[in-house]
PDB file of all heavy atoms in Angstrom:
ATOM      1  N   SER A   1     -48.002  60.364 -43.968  1.00 97.00           N
ATOM      2  CA  SER A   1     -47.106  60.895 -44.990  1.00 97.00           C
ATOM      3  C   SER A   1     -46.482  59.739 -45.762  1.00 97.00           C
ATOM      4  O   SER A   1     -46.485  58.599 -45.319  1.00 97.00           O
ATOM      5  CB  SER A   1     -46.007  61.764 -44.368  1.00 97.00           C
ATOM      6  OG  SER A   1     -45.099  60.964 -43.628  1.00 97.00           O
ATOM      7  N   PHE A   2     -45.975  60.060 -46.921  1.00 98.00           N
ATOM      8  CA  PHE A   2     -45.172  59.111 -47.686  1.00 98.00           C
ATOM      9  C   PHE A   2     -44.059  59.902 -48.358  1.00 98.00           C
ATOM     10  O   PHE A   2     -44.103  61.129 -48.446  1.00 98.00           O
ATOM     11  CB  PHE A   2     -46.020  58.358 -48.721  1.00 98.00           C
ATOM     12  CG  PHE A   2     -46.359  59.156 -49.957  1.00 98.00           C
ATOM     13  CD1 PHE A   2     -45.665  58.966 -51.139  1.00 98.00           C
ATOM     14  CD2 PHE A   2     -47.372  60.114 -49.932  1.00 98.00           C
ATOM     15  CE1 PHE A   2     -45.973  59.708 -52.274  1.00 98.00           C
ATOM     16  CE2 PHE A   2     -47.691  60.851 -51.057  1.00 98.00           C
ATOM     17  CZ  PHE A   2     -46.987  60.648 -52.237  1.00 98.00           C
ATOM     18  N   HIS A   3     -43.056  59.199 -48.833  1.00 98.00           N
ATOM     19  CA  HIS A   3     -41.942  59.843 -49.521  1.00 98.00           C
ATOM     20  C   HIS A   3     -42.031  59.526 -51.009  1.00 98.00           C
ATOM     21  O   HIS A   3     -42.154  58.365 -51.396  1.00 98.00           O
ATOM     22  CB  HIS A   3     -40.604  59.380 -48.957  1.00 98.00           C
ATOM     23  CG  HIS A   3     -40.343  59.908 -47.575  1.00 98.00           C
ATOM     24  ND1 HIS A   3     -40.818  59.272 -46.438  1.00 98.00           N
ATOM     25  CD2 HIS A   3     -39.692  61.026 -47.143  1.00 98.00           C
ATOM     26  CE1 HIS A   3     -40.453  59.970 -45.365  1.00 98.00           C
ATOM     27  NE2 HIS A   3     -39.779  61.032 -45.764  1.00 98.00           N
ATOM     28  N   SER A   4     -41.950  60.563 -51.818  1.00 98.00           N
ATOM     29  CA  SER A   4     -42.047  60.388 -53.258  1.00 98.00           C
ATOM     30  C   SER A   4     -40.721  59.891 -53.821  1.00 98.00           C
ATOM     31  O   SER A   4     -39.783  59.585 -53.087  1.00 98.00           O
ATOM     32  CB  SER A   4     -42.478  61.694 -53.926  1.00 98.00           C
ATOM     33  OG  SER A   4     -42.865  61.483 -55.259  1.00 98.00           O
ATOM     34  N   PHE A   5     -40.613  59.825 -55.136  1.00 96.00           N
ATOM     35  CA  PHE A   5     -39.472  59.216 -55.811  1.00 96.00           C
ATOM     36  C   PHE A   5     -38.152  59.878 -55.464  1.00 96.00           C
ATOM     37  O   PHE A   5     -37.101  59.235 -55.484  1.00 96.00           O
ATOM     38  CB  PHE A   5     -39.687  59.261 -57.333  1.00 96.00           C
ATOM     39  CG  PHE A   5     -39.747  60.653 -57.892  1.00 96.00           C
ATOM     40  CD1 PHE A   5     -38.620  61.254 -58.425  1.00 96.00           C
ATOM     41  CD2 PHE A   5     -40.926  61.373 -57.879  1.00 96.00           C
ATOM     42  CE1 PHE A   5     -38.667  62.541 -58.929  1.00 96.00           C
ATOM     43  CE2 PHE A   5     -40.993  62.655 -58.389  1.00 96.00           C
ATOM     44  CZ  PHE A   5     -39.859  63.247 -58.912  1.00 96.00           C
ATOM     45  N   ASP A   6     -38.194  61.173 -55.141  1.00 96.00           N
ATOM     46  CA  ASP A   6     -36.964  61.901 -54.840  1.00 96.00           C
ATOM     47  C   ASP A   6     -36.776  62.146 -53.350  1.00 96.00           C
ATOM     48  O   ASP A   6     -35.939  62.944 -52.941  1.00 96.00           O
ATOM     49  CB  ASP A   6     -36.946  63.237 -55.588  1.00 96.00           C
ATOM     50  CG  ASP A   6     -38.139  64.121 -55.222  1.00 96.00           C
ATOM     51  OD1 ASP A   6     -39.044  63.643 -54.514  1.00 96.00           O
ATOM     52  OD2 ASP A   6     -38.168  65.289 -55.654  1.00 96.00           O
ATOM     53  N   GLY A   7     -37.568  61.453 -52.524  1.00 97.00           N
ATOM     54  CA  GLY A   7     -37.452  61.602 -51.076  1.00 97.00           C
ATOM     55  C   GLY A   7     -38.294  62.710 -50.492  1.00 97.00           C
ATOM     56  O   GLY A   7     -38.315  62.887 -49.262  1.00 97.00           O
ATOM     57  N   CYS A   8     -38.989  63.476 -51.332  1.00 98.00           N
ATOM     58  CA  CYS A   8     -39.836  64.558 -50.830  1.00 98.00           C
ATOM     59  C   CYS A   8     -40.970  63.981 -49.978  1.00 98.00           C
ATOM     60  O   CYS A   8     -41.708  63.094 -50.419  1.00 98.00           O
ATOM     61  CB  CYS A   8     -40.416  65.357 -51.997  1.00 98.00           C
ATOM     62  SG  CYS A   8     -41.455  66.743 -51.509  1.00 98.00           S
ATOM     63  N   ARG A   9     -41.101  64.505 -48.751  1.00 98.00           N
ATOM     64  CA  ARG A   9     -42.113  64.005 -47.827  1.00 98.00           C
ATOM     65  C   ARG A   9     -43.437  64.728 -48.087  1.00 98.00           C
ATOM     66  O   ARG A   9     -43.531  65.950 -48.003  1.00 98.00           O
ATOM     67  CB  ARG A   9     -41.654  64.240 -46.393  1.00 98.00           C
ATOM     68  CG  ARG A   9     -42.612  63.771 -45.309  1.00 98.00           C
ATOM     69  CD  ARG A   9     -41.891  63.785 -43.960  1.00 98.00           C
ATOM     70  NE  ARG A   9     -42.800  63.678 -42.845  1.00 98.00           N
ATOM     71  CZ  ARG A   9     -43.220  64.717 -42.132  1.00 98.00           C
ATOM     72  NH1 ARG A   9     -42.823  65.935 -42.441  1.00 98.00           N
ATOM     73  NH2 ARG A   9     -44.027  64.538 -41.114  1.00 98.00           N
ATOM     74  N   ILE A  10     -44.454  63.949 -48.412  1.00 98.00           N
ATOM     75  CA  ILE A  10     -45.765  64.496 -48.765  1.00 98.00           C
ATOM     76  C   ILE A  10     -46.794  64.012 -47.750  1.00 98.00           C
ATOM     77  O   ILE A  10     -46.925  62.806 -47.516  1.00 98.00           O
ATOM     78  CB  ILE A  10     -46.159  64.085 -50.190  1.00 98.00           C
ATOM     79  CG1 ILE A  10     -45.166  64.698 -51.194  1.00 98.00           C
ATOM     80  CG2 ILE A  10     -47.587  64.502 -50.510  1.00 98.00           C
ATOM     81  CD1 ILE A  10     -45.408  64.318 -52.620  1.00 98.00           C
ATOM     82  N   LEU A  11     -47.513  64.950 -47.163  1.00 98.00           N
ATOM     83  CA  LEU A  11     -48.522  64.624 -46.155  1.00 98.00           C
ATOM     84  C   LEU A  11     -49.893  64.430 -46.800  1.00 98.00           C
ATOM     85  O   LEU A  11     -50.192  65.027 -47.829  1.00 98.00           O
ATOM     86  CB  LEU A  11     -48.606  65.729 -45.101  1.00 98.00           C
ATOM     87  CG  LEU A  11     -47.563  65.642 -43.977  1.00 98.00           C
ATOM     88  CD1 LEU A  11     -46.216  66.169 -44.435  1.00 98.00           C
ATOM     89  CD2 LEU A  11     -48.035  66.407 -42.747  1.00 98.00           C
ATOM     90  N   TYR A  12     -50.681  63.591 -46.172  1.00 98.00           N
ATOM     91  CA  TYR A  12     -52.070  63.425 -46.613  1.00 98.00           C
ATOM     92  C   TYR A  12     -52.944  63.107 -45.413  1.00 98.00           C
ATOM     93  O   TYR A  12     -52.467  62.645 -44.367  1.00 98.00           O
ATOM     94  CB  TYR A  12     -52.189  62.329 -47.678  1.00 98.00           C
ATOM     95  CG  TYR A  12     -51.839  60.929 -47.223  1.00 98.00           C
ATOM     96  CD1 TYR A  12     -52.825  60.054 -46.764  1.00 98.00           C
ATOM     97  CD2 TYR A  12     -50.520  60.470 -47.279  1.00 98.00           C
ATOM     98  CE1 TYR A  12     -52.510  58.764 -46.370  1.00 98.00           C
ATOM     99  CE2 TYR A  12     -50.202  59.180 -46.873  1.00 98.00           C
ATOM    100  CZ  TYR A  12     -51.193  58.327 -46.426  1.00 98.00           C
ATOM    101  OH  TYR A  12     -50.882  57.041 -46.029  1.00 98.00           O
ATOM    102  N   ARG A  13     -54.226  63.357 -45.572  1.00 97.00           N
ATOM    103  CA  ARG A  13     -55.206  63.140 -44.502  1.00 97.00           C
ATOM    104  C   ARG A  13     -56.162  62.026 -44.879  1.00 97.00           C
ATOM    105  O   ARG A  13     -56.486  61.849 -46.056  1.00 97.00           O
ATOM    106  CB  ARG A  13     -55.972  64.442 -44.238  1.00 97.00           C
ATOM    107  CG  ARG A  13     -55.122  65.526 -43.630  1.00 97.00           C
ATOM    108  CD  ARG A  13     -55.749  66.904 -43.729  1.00 97.00           C
ATOM    109  NE  ARG A  13     -54.895  67.914 -43.101  1.00 97.00           N
ATOM    110  CZ  ARG A  13     -53.831  68.471 -43.691  1.00 97.00           C
ATOM    111  NH1 ARG A  13     -53.525  68.123 -44.923  1.00 97.00           N
ATOM    112  NH2 ARG A  13     -53.102  69.361 -43.047  1.00 97.00           N
ATOM    113  N   HIS A  14     -56.607  61.332 -43.868  1.00 97.00           N
ATOM    114  CA  HIS A  14     -57.571  60.251 -44.074  1.00 97.00           C
ATOM    115  C   HIS A  14     -58.761  60.484 -43.150  1.00 97.00           C
ATOM    116  O   HIS A  14     -58.609  60.595 -41.929  1.00 97.00           O
ATOM    117  CB  HIS A  14     -56.927  58.894 -43.755  1.00 97.00           C
ATOM    118  CG  HIS A  14     -57.898  57.760 -43.757  1.00 97.00           C
ATOM    119  ND1 HIS A  14     -57.769  56.657 -42.918  1.00 97.00           N
ATOM    120  CD2 HIS A  14     -59.017  57.543 -44.483  1.00 97.00           C
ATOM    121  CE1 HIS A  14     -58.771  55.824 -43.137  1.00 97.00           C
ATOM    122  NE2 HIS A  14     -59.543  56.336 -44.072  1.00 97.00           N
ATOM    123  N   TRP A  15     -59.946  60.584 -43.755  1.00 97.00           N
ATOM    124  CA  TRP A  15     -61.185  60.650 -42.999  1.00 97.00           C
ATOM    125  C   TRP A  15     -61.847  59.278 -43.092  1.00 97.00           C
ATOM    126  O   TRP A  15     -62.364  58.897 -44.152  1.00 97.00           O
ATOM    127  CB  TRP A  15     -62.124  61.703 -43.586  1.00 97.00           C
ATOM    128  CG  TRP A  15     -61.661  63.118 -43.367  1.00 97.00           C
ATOM    129  CD1 TRP A  15     -62.040  63.956 -42.365  1.00 97.00           C
ATOM    130  CD2 TRP A  15     -60.758  63.870 -44.195  1.00 97.00           C
ATOM    131  NE1 TRP A  15     -61.438  65.182 -42.496  1.00 97.00           N
ATOM    132  CE2 TRP A  15     -60.635  65.163 -43.619  1.00 97.00           C
ATOM    133  CE3 TRP A  15     -60.032  63.578 -45.354  1.00 97.00           C
ATOM    134  CZ2 TRP A  15     -59.819  66.137 -44.162  1.00 97.00           C
ATOM    135  CZ3 TRP A  15     -59.216  64.553 -45.899  1.00 97.00           C
ATOM    136  CH2 TRP A  15     -59.117  65.823 -45.311  1.00 97.00           C
ATOM    137  N   PRO A  16     -61.806  58.489 -42.023  1.00 95.00           N
ATOM    138  CA  PRO A  16     -62.377  57.132 -42.091  1.00 95.00           C
ATOM    139  C   PRO A  16     -63.873  57.174 -42.359  1.00 95.00           C
ATOM    140  O   PRO A  16     -64.588  58.094 -41.942  1.00 95.00           O
ATOM    141  CB  PRO A  16     -62.084  56.557 -40.696  1.00 95.00           C
ATOM    142  CG  PRO A  16     -60.965  57.402 -40.154  1.00 95.00           C
ATOM    143  CD  PRO A  16     -61.185  58.772 -40.724  1.00 95.00           C
ATOM    144  N   ALA A  17     -64.333  56.167 -43.083  1.00 93.00           N
ATOM    145  CA  ALA A  17     -65.750  56.087 -43.441  1.00 93.00           C
ATOM    146  C   ALA A  17     -66.598  55.728 -42.242  1.00 93.00           C
ATOM    147  O   ALA A  17     -66.166  54.983 -41.346  1.00 93.00           O
ATOM    148  CB  ALA A  17     -65.953  55.046 -44.534  1.00 93.00           C
ATOM    149  N   GLU A  18     -67.783  56.267 -42.224  1.00 88.00           N
ATOM    150  CA  GLU A  18     -68.795  55.812 -41.273  1.00 88.00           C
ATOM    151  C   GLU A  18     -69.595  54.723 -41.981  1.00 88.00           C
ATOM    152  O   GLU A  18     -70.227  54.973 -42.997  1.00 88.00           O
ATOM    153  CB  GLU A  18     -69.697  56.982 -40.878  1.00 88.00           C
ATOM    154  CG  GLU A  18     -68.958  58.124 -40.201  1.00 88.00           C
ATOM    155  CD  GLU A  18     -69.878  59.283 -39.850  1.00 88.00           C
ATOM    156  OE1 GLU A  18     -71.114  59.078 -39.869  1.00 88.00           O
ATOM    157  OE2 GLU A  18     -69.369  60.382 -39.560  1.00 88.00           O
ATOM    158  N   ASN A  19     -69.529  53.484 -41.443  1.00 88.00           N
ATOM    159  CA  ASN A  19     -70.184  52.344 -42.095  1.00 88.00           C
ATOM    160  C   ASN A  19     -69.647  52.166 -43.513  1.00 88.00           C
ATOM    161  O   ASN A  19     -70.345  52.356 -44.505  1.00 88.00           O
ATOM    162  CB  ASN A  19     -71.709  52.523 -42.129  1.00 88.00           C
ATOM    163  CG  ASN A  19     -72.307  52.697 -40.754  1.00 88.00           C
ATOM    164  OD1 ASN A  19     -71.938  51.965 -39.827  1.00 88.00           O
ATOM    165  ND2 ASN A  19     -73.206  53.670 -40.597  1.00 88.00           N
ATOM    166  N   HIS A  20     -68.389  51.767 -43.583  1.00 88.00           N
ATOM    167  CA  HIS A  20     -67.665  51.706 -44.857  1.00 88.00           C
ATOM    168  C   HIS A  20     -68.386  50.833 -45.872  1.00 88.00           C
ATOM    169  O   HIS A  20     -68.780  49.700 -45.585  1.00 88.00           O
ATOM    170  CB  HIS A  20     -66.256  51.147 -44.629  1.00 88.00           C
ATOM    171  CG  HIS A  20     -65.378  51.188 -45.832  1.00 88.00           C
ATOM    172  ND1 HIS A  20     -64.444  50.230 -46.099  1.00 88.00           N
ATOM    173  CD2 HIS A  20     -65.316  52.088 -46.853  1.00 88.00           C
ATOM    174  CE1 HIS A  20     -63.827  50.525 -47.231  1.00 88.00           C
ATOM    175  NE2 HIS A  20     -64.331  51.646 -47.700  1.00 88.00           N
ATOM    176  N   ASN A  21     -68.548  51.377 -47.087  1.00 88.00           N
ATOM    177  CA  ASN A  21     -69.216  50.653 -48.172  1.00 88.00           C
ATOM    178  C   ASN A  21     -68.239  50.004 -49.142  1.00 88.00           C
ATOM    179  O   ASN A  21     -68.624  49.555 -50.218  1.00 88.00           O
ATOM    180  CB  ASN A  21     -70.139  51.606 -48.942  1.00 88.00           C
ATOM    181  CG  ASN A  21     -69.380  52.807 -49.520  1.00 88.00           C
ATOM    182  OD1 ASN A  21     -68.152  52.814 -49.611  1.00 88.00           O
ATOM    183  ND2 ASN A  21     -70.125  53.844 -49.901  1.00 88.00           N
ATOM    184  N   GLY A  22     -66.951  49.959 -48.757  1.00 91.00           N
ATOM    185  CA  GLY A  22     -65.955  49.331 -49.613  1.00 91.00           C
ATOM    186  C   GLY A  22     -65.429  50.238 -50.706  1.00 91.00           C
ATOM    187  O   GLY A  22     -64.727  49.778 -51.604  1.00 91.00           O
ATOM    188  N   ARG A  23     -65.759  51.538 -50.620  1.00 96.00           N
ATOM    189  CA  ARG A  23     -65.379  52.469 -51.671  1.00 96.00           C
ATOM    190  C   ARG A  23     -64.502  53.599 -51.116  1.00 96.00           C
ATOM    191  O   ARG A  23     -64.492  53.852 -49.919  1.00 96.00           O
ATOM    192  CB  ARG A  23     -66.632  53.049 -52.335  1.00 96.00           C
ATOM    193  CG  ARG A  23     -67.521  51.973 -52.954  1.00 96.00           C
ATOM    194  CD  ARG A  23     -68.874  52.525 -53.336  1.00 96.00           C
ATOM    195  NE  ARG A  23     -69.761  51.464 -53.839  1.00 96.00           N
ATOM    196  CZ  ARG A  23     -71.046  51.630 -54.099  1.00 96.00           C
ATOM    197  NH1 ARG A  23     -71.618  52.818 -53.892  1.00 96.00           N
ATOM    198  NH2 ARG A  23     -71.773  50.639 -54.553  1.00 96.00           N
ATOM    199  N   PHE A  24     -63.811  54.262 -52.043  1.00 98.00           N
ATOM    200  CA  PHE A  24     -62.820  55.272 -51.660  1.00 98.00           C
ATOM    201  C   PHE A  24     -62.980  56.513 -52.532  1.00 98.00           C
ATOM    202  O   PHE A  24     -63.374  56.426 -53.695  1.00 98.00           O
ATOM    203  CB  PHE A  24     -61.397  54.729 -51.835  1.00 98.00           C
ATOM    204  CG  PHE A  24     -61.129  53.453 -51.077  1.00 98.00           C
ATOM    205  CD1 PHE A  24     -61.509  52.218 -51.602  1.00 98.00           C
ATOM    206  CD2 PHE A  24     -60.490  53.481 -49.850  1.00 98.00           C
ATOM    207  CE1 PHE A  24     -61.256  51.040 -50.921  1.00 98.00           C
ATOM    208  CE2 PHE A  24     -60.242  52.303 -49.154  1.00 98.00           C
ATOM    209  CZ  PHE A  24     -60.626  51.082 -49.695  1.00 98.00           C
ATOM    210  N   ILE A  25     -62.622  57.660 -51.963  1.00 98.00           N
ATOM    211  CA  ILE A  25     -62.566  58.911 -52.710  1.00 98.00           C
ATOM    212  C   ILE A  25     -61.249  59.602 -52.364  1.00 98.00           C
ATOM    213  O   ILE A  25     -60.881  59.698 -51.194  1.00 98.00           O
ATOM    214  CB  ILE A  25     -63.754  59.837 -52.370  1.00 98.00           C
ATOM    215  CG1 ILE A  25     -65.049  59.292 -52.981  1.00 98.00           C
ATOM    216  CG2 ILE A  25     -63.506  61.255 -52.892  1.00 98.00           C
ATOM    217  CD1 ILE A  25     -66.283  60.114 -52.651  1.00 98.00           C
ATOM    218  N   THR A  26     -60.559  60.058 -53.386  1.00 98.00           N
ATOM    219  CA  THR A  26     -59.361  60.867 -53.157  1.00 98.00           C
ATOM    220  C   THR A  26     -59.628  62.274 -53.682  1.00 98.00           C
ATOM    221  O   THR A  26     -60.268  62.463 -54.721  1.00 98.00           O
ATOM    222  CB  THR A  26     -58.125  60.278 -53.863  1.00 98.00           C
ATOM    223  OG1 THR A  26     -58.400  60.120 -55.254  1.00 98.00           O
ATOM    224  CG2 THR A  26     -57.764  58.938 -53.275  1.00 98.00           C
ATOM    225  N   LEU A  27     -59.117  63.262 -52.956  1.00 98.00           N
ATOM    226  CA  LEU A  27     -59.369  64.667 -53.254  1.00 98.00           C
ATOM    227  C   LEU A  27     -58.064  65.379 -53.619  1.00 98.00           C
ATOM    228  O   LEU A  27     -57.042  65.189 -52.952  1.00 98.00           O
ATOM    229  CB  LEU A  27     -60.001  65.363 -52.047  1.00 98.00           C
ATOM    230  CG  LEU A  27     -61.275  64.734 -51.463  1.00 98.00           C
ATOM    231  CD1 LEU A  27     -61.714  65.505 -50.218  1.00 98.00           C
ATOM    232  CD2 LEU A  27     -62.388  64.705 -52.503  1.00 98.00           C
ATOM    233  N   PHE A  28     -58.110  66.203 -54.662  1.00 98.00           N
ATOM    234  CA  PHE A  28     -56.969  67.005 -55.090  1.00 98.00           C
ATOM    235  C   PHE A  28     -57.349  68.485 -54.953  1.00 98.00           C
ATOM    236  O   PHE A  28     -58.266  68.961 -55.628  1.00 98.00           O
ATOM    237  CB  PHE A  28     -56.605  66.695 -56.545  1.00 98.00           C
ATOM    238  CG  PHE A  28     -55.981  65.344 -56.747  1.00 98.00           C
ATOM    239  CD1 PHE A  28     -56.765  64.193 -56.738  1.00 98.00           C
ATOM    240  CD2 PHE A  28     -54.618  65.211 -56.973  1.00 98.00           C
ATOM    241  CE1 PHE A  28     -56.198  62.944 -56.941  1.00 98.00           C
ATOM    242  CE2 PHE A  28     -54.043  63.965 -57.171  1.00 98.00           C
ATOM    243  CZ  PHE A  28     -54.842  62.830 -57.148  1.00 98.00           C
ATOM    244  N   HIS A  29     -56.641  69.201 -54.100  1.00 98.00           N
ATOM    245  CA  HIS A  29     -57.002  70.589 -53.791  1.00 98.00           C
ATOM    246  C   HIS A  29     -56.561  71.552 -54.890  1.00 98.00           C
ATOM    247  O   HIS A  29     -55.798  71.201 -55.806  1.00 98.00           O
ATOM    248  CB  HIS A  29     -56.391  70.999 -52.451  1.00 98.00           C
ATOM    249  CG  HIS A  29     -54.884  70.909 -52.426  1.00 98.00           C
ATOM    250  ND1 HIS A  29     -54.062  71.846 -53.012  1.00 98.00           N
ATOM    251  CD2 HIS A  29     -54.050  69.975 -51.867  1.00 98.00           C
ATOM    252  CE1 HIS A  29     -52.795  71.513 -52.816  1.00 98.00           C
ATOM    253  NE2 HIS A  29     -52.755  70.377 -52.141  1.00 98.00           N
ATOM    254  N   ARG A  30     -57.015  72.794 -54.777  1.00 96.00           N
ATOM    255  CA  ARG A  30     -56.617  73.870 -55.686  1.00 96.00           C
ATOM    256  C   ARG A  30     -55.139  74.197 -55.525  1.00 96.00           C
ATOM    257  O   ARG A  30     -54.508  73.832 -54.549  1.00 96.00           O
ATOM    258  CB  ARG A  30     -57.411  75.147 -55.393  1.00 96.00           C
ATOM    259  CG  ARG A  30     -58.880  75.119 -55.752  1.00 96.00           C
ATOM    260  CD  ARG A  30     -59.523  76.474 -55.453  1.00 96.00           C
ATOM    261  NE  ARG A  30     -58.822  77.541 -56.144  1.00 96.00           N
ATOM    262  CZ  ARG A  30     -58.074  78.475 -55.554  1.00 96.00           C
ATOM    263  NH1 ARG A  30     -57.942  78.482 -54.232  1.00 96.00           N
ATOM    264  NH2 ARG A  30     -57.475  79.407 -56.264  1.00 96.00           N
ATOM    265  N   GLY A  31     -54.594  74.932 -56.507  1.00 94.00           N
ATOM    266  CA  GLY A  31     -53.255  75.468 -56.346  1.00 94.00           C
ATOM    267  C   GLY A  31     -53.205  76.406 -55.154  1.00 94.00           C
ATOM    268  O   GLY A  31     -54.219  76.996 -54.771  1.00 94.00           O
ATOM    269  N   HIS A  32     -52.039  76.522 -54.544  1.00 94.00           N
ATOM    270  CA  HIS A  32     -51.767  77.399 -53.391  1.00 94.00           C
ATOM    271  C   HIS A  32     -52.339  76.848 -52.072  1.00 94.00           C
ATOM    272  O   HIS A  32     -51.962  77.339 -51.009  1.00 94.00           O
ATOM    273  CB  HIS A  32     -52.342  78.819 -53.588  1.00 94.00           C
ATOM    274  CG  HIS A  32     -52.002  79.450 -54.888  1.00 94.00           C
ATOM    275  ND1 HIS A  32     -50.722  79.811 -55.224  1.00 94.00           N
ATOM    276  CD2 HIS A  32     -52.778  79.793 -55.959  1.00 94.00           C
ATOM    277  CE1 HIS A  32     -50.705  80.351 -56.436  1.00 94.00           C
ATOM    278  NE2 HIS A  32     -51.941  80.350 -56.902  1.00 94.00           N
ATOM    279  N   GLU A  33     -53.240  75.872 -52.121  1.00 96.00           N
ATOM    280  CA  GLU A  33     -53.963  75.461 -50.914  1.00 96.00           C
ATOM    281  C   GLU A  33     -53.445  74.137 -50.363  1.00 96.00           C
ATOM    282  O   GLU A  33     -52.295  73.756 -50.616  1.00 96.00           O
ATOM    283  CB  GLU A  33     -55.461  75.423 -51.209  1.00 96.00           C
ATOM    284  CG  GLU A  33     -56.014  76.791 -51.633  1.00 96.00           C
ATOM    285  CD  GLU A  33     -57.525  76.893 -51.533  1.00 96.00           C
ATOM    286  OE1 GLU A  33     -58.159  75.941 -51.045  1.00 96.00           O
ATOM    287  OE2 GLU A  33     -58.074  77.934 -51.941  1.00 96.00           O
ATOM    288  N   HIS A  34     -54.275  73.415 -49.619  1.00 97.00           N
ATOM    289  CA  HIS A  34     -53.842  72.169 -48.983  1.00 97.00           C
ATOM    290  C   HIS A  34     -55.064  71.333 -48.633  1.00 97.00           C
ATOM    291  O   HIS A  34     -56.213  71.800 -48.696  1.00 97.00           O
ATOM    292  CB  HIS A  34     -53.005  72.461 -47.733  1.00 97.00           C
ATOM    293  CG  HIS A  34     -53.668  73.381 -46.745  1.00 97.00           C
ATOM    294  ND1 HIS A  34     -54.517  72.925 -45.752  1.00 97.00           N
ATOM    295  CD2 HIS A  34     -53.625  74.730 -46.615  1.00 97.00           C
ATOM    296  CE1 HIS A  34     -54.956  73.954 -45.048  1.00 97.00           C
ATOM    297  NE2 HIS A  34     -54.439  75.063 -45.546  1.00 97.00           N
ATOM    298  N   GLY A  35     -54.818  70.078 -48.258  1.00 97.00           N
ATOM    299  CA  GLY A  35     -55.897  69.120 -48.068  1.00 97.00           C
ATOM    300  C   GLY A  35     -56.854  69.444 -46.947  1.00 97.00           C
ATOM    301  O   GLY A  35     -58.045  69.108 -47.015  1.00 97.00           O
ATOM    302  N   ALA A  36     -56.383  70.111 -45.879  1.00 96.00           N
ATOM    303  CA  ALA A  36     -57.272  70.422 -44.761  1.00 96.00           C
ATOM    304  C   ALA A  36     -58.385  71.379 -45.181  1.00 96.00           C
ATOM    305  O   ALA A  36     -59.434  71.441 -44.523  1.00 96.00           O
ATOM    306  CB  ALA A  36     -56.473  71.022 -43.600  1.00 96.00           C
ATOM    307  N   ARG A  37     -58.171  72.106 -46.262  1.00 96.00           N
ATOM    308  CA  ARG A  37     -59.202  73.021 -46.764  1.00 96.00           C
ATOM    309  C   ARG A  37     -60.431  72.269 -47.284  1.00 96.00           C
ATOM    310  O   ARG A  37     -61.479  72.860 -47.498  1.00 96.00           O
ATOM    311  CB  ARG A  37     -58.621  73.869 -47.901  1.00 96.00           C
ATOM    312  CG  ARG A  37     -57.572  74.864 -47.450  1.00 96.00           C
ATOM    313  CD  ARG A  37     -58.186  76.200 -47.101  1.00 96.00           C
ATOM    314  NE  ARG A  37     -58.807  76.802 -48.275  1.00 96.00           N
ATOM    315  CZ  ARG A  37     -59.782  77.686 -48.224  1.00 96.00           C
ATOM    316  NH1 ARG A  37     -60.288  78.064 -47.064  1.00 96.00           N
ATOM    317  NH2 ARG A  37     -60.295  78.195 -49.331  1.00 96.00           N
ATOM    318  N   LEU A  38     -60.298  70.969 -47.476  1.00 97.00           N
ATOM    319  CA  LEU A  38     -61.384  70.162 -48.027  1.00 97.00           C
ATOM    320  C   LEU A  38     -62.101  69.354 -46.954  1.00 97.00           C
ATOM    321  O   LEU A  38     -62.808  68.392 -47.247  1.00 97.00           O
ATOM    322  CB  LEU A  38     -60.826  69.216 -49.100  1.00 97.00           C
ATOM    323  CG  LEU A  38     -60.040  69.901 -50.223  1.00 97.00           C
ATOM    324  CD1 LEU A  38     -59.469  68.867 -51.184  1.00 97.00           C
ATOM    325  CD2 LEU A  38     -60.922  70.898 -50.974  1.00 97.00           C
ATOM    326  N   THR A  39     -61.921  69.761 -45.704  1.00 97.00           N
ATOM    327  CA  THR A  39     -62.471  69.006 -44.586  1.00 97.00           C
ATOM    328  C   THR A  39     -63.985  68.827 -44.674  1.00 97.00           C
ATOM    329  O   THR A  39     -64.508  67.717 -44.493  1.00 97.00           O
ATOM    330  CB  THR A  39     -62.109  69.693 -43.262  1.00 97.00           C
ATOM    331  OG1 THR A  39     -60.696  69.668 -43.091  1.00 97.00           O
ATOM    332  CG2 THR A  39     -62.775  68.991 -42.085  1.00 97.00           C
ATOM    333  N   GLU A  40     -64.701  69.894 -44.944  1.00 96.00           N
ATOM    334  CA  GLU A  40     -66.164  69.812 -44.972  1.00 96.00           C
ATOM    335  C   GLU A  40     -66.634  68.812 -46.031  1.00 96.00           C
ATOM    336  O   GLU A  40     -67.522  67.992 -45.774  1.00 96.00           O
ATOM    337  CB  GLU A  40     -66.763  71.192 -45.250  1.00 96.00           C
ATOM    338  CG  GLU A  40     -68.291  71.202 -45.241  1.00 96.00           C
ATOM    339  CD  GLU A  40     -68.876  72.574 -45.542  1.00 96.00           C
ATOM    340  OE1 GLU A  40     -68.096  73.543 -45.685  1.00 96.00           O
ATOM    341  OE2 GLU A  40     -70.117  72.684 -45.639  1.00 96.00           O
TER     342      GLU A  40
END
């Protein structure tokens, strides 16, 4: 988690890379939903 500008605590998930290639992807979920919905 991290705290935003107003102190709001925001959670996030990290799926570590298998054989990391030095690259990153960030995912933004649909409205009403959450990051765990993007597990697959």
Side-chain angles (χ1 to χ4, degrees):
S1 70
F2 77 101
H3 289 85
S4 193
F5 64 95
D6 59 352
C8 181
R9 180 167 166 261
I10 296 177
L11 277 79
Y12 64 94
R13 292 164 179 81
H14 172 213
W15 290 264
E18 299 179 15
N19 302 316
H20 187 214
N21 58 16
R23 301 168 184 172
F24 304 82
I25 288 178
T26 55
L27 306 176
F28 289 77
H29 60 77
R30 290 182 56 250
H32 311 293
E33 299 197 5
H34 53 87
R37 291 269 297 156
L38 305 177
T39 296
E40 182 181 356

